[in-house]
Amino acid sequence: MKIRKLGLLGALVLSGVFSAGYAQNDVEKRVEDLLSKMTLDEKIGQMNQLSFFAVDDKAIAQYSDDDMDTFLVRMGIAGGQGQKKPSEMTKNEKIKLIRQEAEKMLDKNFTQPIKEGKIGSLLNISDPEMVNKMQKAALENSRLGIPLIIGRDVVHGFKTIFPIPLGQAASFNPQLVENGARIAAVEARSTGVTWTFAPMLDISRDARWGRIAESLGEDPYLGGQLGAAMVKGFQGNGNLADPGSIAACVKHFIGYGAAEGGRDYNSTYIPPIQMRNVYLPPFHEAVKAGAATLMTSFNDNDGIPASGNSYILKNILRDEWKFDGFVVSDWNSIGEMIPHGFAKNDKQAAEISTNAGLDMEMVTGSYVKYLPELIKEGKVSMETINNAVRNILRIKFRMGLFENPYVDTKKSSVLYAEDHLKAARQAAVESAILLKNDNNTLPLAESKKIAIIGPMADAPHDQMGTWVFDGDKNYTVTPIGALKGDYKHINYVYEPALGYSRDKNTSNFEKAKQAVTSADVAVVFLGEEAILSGEAHSLSNINLIGAQSDLLKAVKSVGKPVVLVIMAGRPLTIERDLPYADAVLFNFHPGTMGGPAILDLIFGKANPSGKLPATFVREIGQIPMYYNHNSTGRPAPEKVMTLDEIELEAGQTSLGNTSFYLDSGKDPLFPFGYGLSYSKFEYSGLNLSSNSIPMEGSMTVRTTLKNISNVDGTEVAQLYIQDKVGSVVRPVKELKGFQRVFLKAGESKTIEFQLTTDDLAFYGRDLIKKAEAGDFNIWVGGDSNAILKGSFSITE
Ligand code: BGC
């Protein structure tokens, strides 16, 4: 009766003929309906992701001459009989020919297979017109009209580049991180990107590893809090269908950051308890925050490559965490199980990965090629395929891609919007860490004449850092750019002295010294080019590279105050440089607005508040050194012996037999959580609501934080605990809470942390997470060496 009243259209809607007739929460029904109509090839097509290539003149023009010539010859377009040689062609001629060829390949490699339902996702396509063209082939020209999901590495901003993730982590500010991800999502989605391969939540305790730049540092709690914030930012706080949202992809599952020796792609050896307590928690937090997808990692852990590890993909991710999104491989990580020696060929690799629960294959193409045979042979079941496709379709429906697949190319651009740049500037401000500030060298009075020295003072490309595919260096504002803009009233002289960070040519050092002589103070911008960190960019030496340390010394020899500003992709070993700088401001590559942000800090318009998200070691040989290591049986005493103190022919046991290095001691250069401010903060009166809490109970931790200086500032207050005796050995300290507290000069506040026994739970020998009754130490302070200490216990 009701149906009749609604008329024919209504009846059709109710009967599901129009997909728009489903309520958004009918996703499961839509998935099953669609799945029931799909052929096996169409299903496997959804599990296939291919990388797109550029077909527009602008992108082709960026290829090197050599690459263009090779392409022209290889494709038989030039250099053959009766054809012109590449050397006889103008660049424009070459571009035109390459584009024509690329267009032909485009049809064969992408448009046709999409129409046949053989591709479920593309990555690295960022031209909106092209996205629409491909999406049209999927929606209007394929049998079932399933939209593509378009992936891109939007790692720390899309066009407006934010500080690298490690820098954002230094802010200890989840809201700031969420906003940054939101802005990246809005910009990326406006060009047709619907899925980012971020956040990267690999715990890294090794600054040699280039990808530490993309990480949120060494701590599982910080990584989990900020990772969840990033997921929320990308995904519109759960509103995946919002036109400003993109799906997040939490990567790399799992253990990739523990690459042995910090050498990228290397094997990892993470035992189960450590895996559970250190490496998995950030991923779990991200899944709880609703992450739509996950990416497997390249590494094998103790012999099992992640892309073939059913225990992590099924038992942990699906059964324990109830994850219902989809899992994508990393770039060719399925194929790479062959060189790993884990699969004998692509066919076996496809079998292993599908059966392990890896839903979508990035670029290798072995699913499309071999799954039909593998099914016939009974090596992969239809149910396995159906489940993978369900996972993928579920996300496509949740994202509203069926209703909203196209990019509105007429909309006015949101790229580099003013409020985006403003947010990027604030993010860069909050990400900078003040490591040293003798005699209150900083902030500088604006009336001072400044000598600006060093290769990073005007490095628009390098300042953006690694994993920037879309950001344009022409929009970067460097410190020199800011001195021509917001800070044009400053009197300065500029002498870079080195052309780039690796430069060893010292011939301009005299000029630099003259510049410093003519000024009141020197600000020296050193660091790393962007290419020195990121994927496959590991280093075995993390000193300031090239002749940079020598430049700093030369500048210092003039006798003026020296401010060292570093922009780098990782923690560096800068102990040898510290004596030559009165103040040190460390920035992990700060992004598009790094220049003005740094000047805001240097001139005191902003006050540094960043804290180190990773330990800074004194010597590279101390790595791995991290604050939350397990208690050893022979902890080093407060003061350890140094090499110089060892007597000649000292007795074998006279040095104390404890855990430290004879040549570099027991401590890092700067501990996790460290960072100074122009303000001075004092913690006093640690007060616990109870000194003993029952299992499942909670307590409130209070302390008074006072700004004892005459400068307003923000302190990141940190709470650490130690479980003194456990059924397995526990870390010496673990971060369990942090908060940014703004205090006016002289102001004091009581700050509060809530702590539950759940926060104190960990995985022991049975790999079940639970808190254990017993005694705990607790500290609150401004870094992981916090001294304000209390104790409590959990009772049975
Ligand atoms: C990286 C991933 C990235 C993928 C796609 C791989 O080489 O390891 O992190 O998302 O490429 O660009």
Side-chain angles (χ1 to χ4, degrees):
M1 181 65 179
K2 260 190 188 154
I3 290 180
R4 225 185 300 142
K5 265 197 198 157
L6 287 169
L8 181 63
L9 192 65
L12 286 175
V13 166
L14 280 182
S15 67
V17 170
F18 293 134
S19 62
Y22 291 100
Q24 183 65 29
N25 59 9
D26 273 350
V27 164
E28 291 311 309
K29 186 162 183 320
R30 296 177 78 177
V31 168
E32 293 307 321
D33 278 2
L34 185 50
L35 192 68
S36 69
K37 294 181 192 130
M38 293 170 81
T39 62
L40 176 61
D41 283 349
E42 285 165 339
K43 289 178 185 174
I44 296 169
Q46 286 303 305
M47 299 166 70
N48 184 30
Q49 182 190 51
L50 291 187
S51 181
F52 201 70
F53 50 70
V55 284
D56 59 299
D57 291 2
K58 213 172 115 201
I60 296 169
Q62 285 171 10
Y63 295 146
S64 70
D65 278 344
D66 273 359
D67 283 351
M68 283 195 200
D69 296 354
T70 313
F71 181 86
L72 289 166
V73 173
R74 284 232 185 106
M75 299 312 291
I77 310 168
Q81 242 191 352
Q83 293 173 327
K84 272 191 185 175
K85 287 192 190 129
S87 55
E88 293 160 4
M89 294 177 174
T90 63
K91 188 160 184 180
N92 281 345
E93 251 176 288
K94 291 183 195 173
I95 293 173
K96 193 170 156 210
L97 285 172
I98 292 175
R99 180 175 31 82
Q100 282 168 354
E101 194 59 27
E103 270 164 14
K104 276 191 241 153
M105 284 166 57
L106 176 81
D107 203 53
K108 179 165 159 269
N109 291 354
F110 299 105
T111 325
Q112 273 311 321
I114 289 173
K115 287 181 185 169
E116 289 161 24
K118 289 185 176 151
I119 299 177
S121 171
L122 291 175
L123 79 151
N124 293 339
I125 169 171
S126 54
D127 166 20
E129 306 278 351
M130 192 56 79
V131 170
N132 282 347
K133 197 167 158 187
M134 294 298 120
Q135 206 60 287
K136 186 162 183 235
L139 274 132
E140 296 175 29
N141 303 115
S142 76
R143 197 177 73 88
L144 293 170
I146 306 175
L148 300 162
I149 180 163
I150 307 286
R152 184 82 167 157
D153 289 277
V154 183
V155 174
H156 51 112
F158 182 68
K159 288 285 181 187
T160 305
I161 300 301
F162 282 70
I164 56 171
L166 192 58
Q168 293 186 45
S171 74
F172 279 65
N173 187 346
Q175 193 55 54
L176 178 119
V177 169
E178 183 175 334
N179 291 349
R182 190 69 200 149
I183 286 168
V186 167
E187 289 193 357
R189 183 86 191 225
S190 79
T191 72
V193 173
T194 43
W195 180 22
T196 175
F197 305 121
M200 188 188 99
L201 300 185
D202 297 311
I203 292 296
S204 177
R205 295 165 159 180
D206 193 334
R208 293 171 296 183
W209 190 51
R211 300 196 83 166
I212 195 173
E214 296 168 59
S215 83
L216 296 168
E218 75 184 29
D219 185 65
Y221 178 76
L222 181 66
Q225 297 296 305
L226 300 182
M230 258 192 206
V231 167
K232 285 186 197 150
F234 287 132
Q235 299 191 163
N237 204 1
N239 189 1
L240 263 179
D242 183 287
S245 290
I246 56 180
C249 182
V250 188
K251 67 189 188 185
H252 304 86
F253 205 53
I254 184 86
Y256 184 40
E260 215 182 22
R263 203 160 65 245
D264 208 2
Y265 314 123
N266 209 0
S267 298
T268 62
Y269 296 93
I270 308 170
I273 293 179
Q274 195 183 33
M275 181 65 95
R276 293 277 185 172
N277 287 326
V278 178
Y279 291 88
L280 285 168
F283 287 81
H284 195 189
E285 288 307 314
V287 166
K288 285 195 259 175
T293 75
L294 259 89
M295 184 189 289
T296 56
S297 54
F298 289 124
N299 58 298
D300 73 286
N301 185 47
D302 201 15
I304 306 175
S307 297
N309 190 335
S310 64
Y311 181 72
I312 59 157
L313 294 179
K314 288 185 173 164
N315 301 44
I316 296 183
L317 185 61
R318 301 282 174 190
D319 300 347
E320 291 182 30
W321 297 358
K322 312 288 177 219
F323 175 71
D324 69 357
F326 71 89
V327 180
V328 66
S329 75
D330 201 347
W331 184 282
N332 192 30
S333 67
I334 297 180
E336 285 168 22
M337 291 196 297
I338 303 168
H340 262 299
F342 193 72
K344 60 175 183 279
N345 51 32
D346 281 318
K347 183 172 170 184
Q348 198 188 19
E351 178 190 341
I352 294 172
S353 290
T354 339
N355 284 333
L358 212 175
D359 305 314
M360 186 185 276
E361 178 178 34
M362 188 187 282
V363 306
T364 327
S366 65
Y367 278 12
V368 174
K369 203 154 167 206
Y370 295 109
L371 280 179
E373 278 173 44
L374 288 164
I375 294 211
K376 258 193 223 135
E377 293 164 10
K379 290 185 174 148
V380 172
S381 72
M382 251 337 268
E383 201 40 29
T384 298
I385 302 291
N386 284 342
N387 281 337
V389 179
R390 279 187 183 105
N391 295 335
I392 295 165
L393 293 179
R394 185 176 295 124
I395 296 302
K396 290 188 174 182
F397 279 118
R398 280 189 191 152
M399 293 191 69
L401 291 179
F402 287 80
E403 293 76 24
N404 229 337
Y406 296 112
V407 194
D408 183 353
T409 50
K410 305 256 158 9
K411 246 190 171 165
S412 65
S413 174
V414 294
L415 308 176
Y416 297 112
E418 211 165 301
D419 56 329
H420 297 182
L421 295 173
K422 211 170 142 202
R425 182 171 180 162
Q426 182 61 19
V429 162
E430 292 189 27
S431 299
I433 309 118
L434 183 66
L435 294 178
K436 176 175 179 181
N437 195 17
D438 285 359
N439 310 318
N440 293 331
T441 305
L442 284 176
L444 300 180
E446 297 201 351
S447 54
K448 291 245 154 73
K449 180 168 178 198
I450 322 263
I452 304 279
I453 312 290
M456 294 300 288
D458 200 19
H461 169 79
D462 294 317
Q463 180 181 310
M464 290 193 291
T466 186
W467 279 112
V468 173
F469 282 167
D470 301 285
D472 180 347
K473 70 172 183 179
N474 294 312
Y475 283 81
T476 301
V477 190
T478 65
I480 289 294
L483 284 164
K484 291 178 182 156
D486 287 2
Y487 286 90
K488 59 173 171 291
H489 52 283
I490 300 291
N491 182 9
Y492 74 97
V493 44
Y494 173 42
E495 176 49 59
L498 292 169
Y500 53 101
S501 68
R502 284 165 296 155
D503 195 353
K504 292 188 186 128
N505 179 353
T506 57
S507 59
N508 284 322
F509 280 19
E510 274 313 310
K511 272 201 214 154
K513 282 162 74 175
Q514 278 161 22
V516 177
T517 309
S518 76
D520 301 314
V521 51
V523 183
V524 187
F525 289 88
L526 305 180
E528 288 183 317
E529 291 148 77
I531 194 66
L532 298 179
S533 59
E535 184 176 352
H537 303 159
S538 297
L539 290 173
S540 62
N541 176 329
I542 54 171
N543 291 338
L544 279 170
I545 207 161
Q548 295 187 102
S549 290
D550 294 336
L551 175 61
L552 184 68
K553 271 189 203 163
V555 167
K556 182 67 186 168
S557 71
V558 175
K560 302 281 168 80
V562 175
V563 175
L564 170 60
V565 179
I566 296 180
M567 297 188 215
R570 55 161 64 76
L572 298 174
T573 38
I574 51 170
E575 185 171 34
R576 76 207 67 222
D577 304 299
L578 292 180
Y580 304 98
D582 300 280
V584 180
L585 185 68
F586 198 97
N587 305 266
F588 294 107
H589 291 131
T592 304
M593 296 303 283
I598 289 171
L599 294 198
D600 289 346
L601 291 162
I602 285 184
F603 292 111
K605 203 167 149 201
N607 189 349
S609 59
K611 299 279 187 172
L612 293 179
T615 302
F616 271 45
V617 293
R618 299 179 53 201
E619 292 289 343
I620 195 144
Q622 290 182 317
I623 291 176
M625 181 172 265
Y626 46 93
Y627 85 95
N628 50 355
H629 61 88
N630 276 1
S631 305
T632 72
R634 294 199 177 181
E638 218 18 72
K639 160 119 186 53
V640 295
M641 182 155 281
T642 66
L643 269 187
D644 298 336
E645 288 163 358
I646 301 173
E647 281 172 17
L648 289 181
E649 301 191 2
Q652 166 77 26
T653 55
S654 66
L655 309 186
N657 288 5
T658 60
S659 182
F660 69 100
Y661 294 102
L662 290 180
D663 55 350
S664 61
K666 69 179 174 65
D667 294 317
L669 181 61
F670 297 111
F672 174 85
Y674 179 83
L676 303 172
S677 157
Y678 299 151
S679 314
K680 292 250 167 320
F681 300 102
E682 186 186 79
Y683 291 82
S684 61
L686 186 61
N687 176 281
L688 312 182
S689 60
S690 164
N691 283 82
S692 97
I693 43 173
M695 211 51 93
E696 313 290 327
S698 68
M699 68 174 176
T700 307
V701 182
R702 291 191 185 84
T703 189
T704 304
L705 179 59
K706 183 168 186 193
N707 181 346
I708 53 169
S709 68
N710 54 9
V711 188
D712 300 351
T714 296
E715 165 73 331
V716 179
Q718 301 158 45
L719 178 139
Y720 295 88
I721 62 102
Q722 181 193 24
D723 189 346
K724 287 171 75 174
V725 179
S727 57
V728 293
V729 173
R730 306 292 300 126
V732 293
K733 234 171 226 183
E734 292 175 275
L735 182 71
K736 291 293 175 187
F738 59 83
Q739 49 185 283
R740 291 176 59 87
V741 187
F742 173 77
L743 290 171
K744 290 202 145 308
E747 190 186 0
S748 75
K749 271 185 194 159
T750 302
I751 55 170
E752 272 186 22
F753 294 93
Q754 295 300 325
L755 204 57
T756 68
T757 54
D758 210 36
D759 298 326
L760 304 169
F762 63 94
Y763 291 88
R765 267 194 279 190
D766 52 6
L767 297 183
I768 294 173
K769 191 176 181 191
K770 51 179 183 289
E772 291 179 359
D775 296 335
F776 290 77
N777 284 324
I778 183 165
W779 297 262
V780 177
D783 60 48
S784 57
N785 279 347
I787 42 174
L788 191 64
K789 186 173 172 188
S791 60
F792 66 93
S793 54
I794 298 184
T795 52
E796 290 290 351

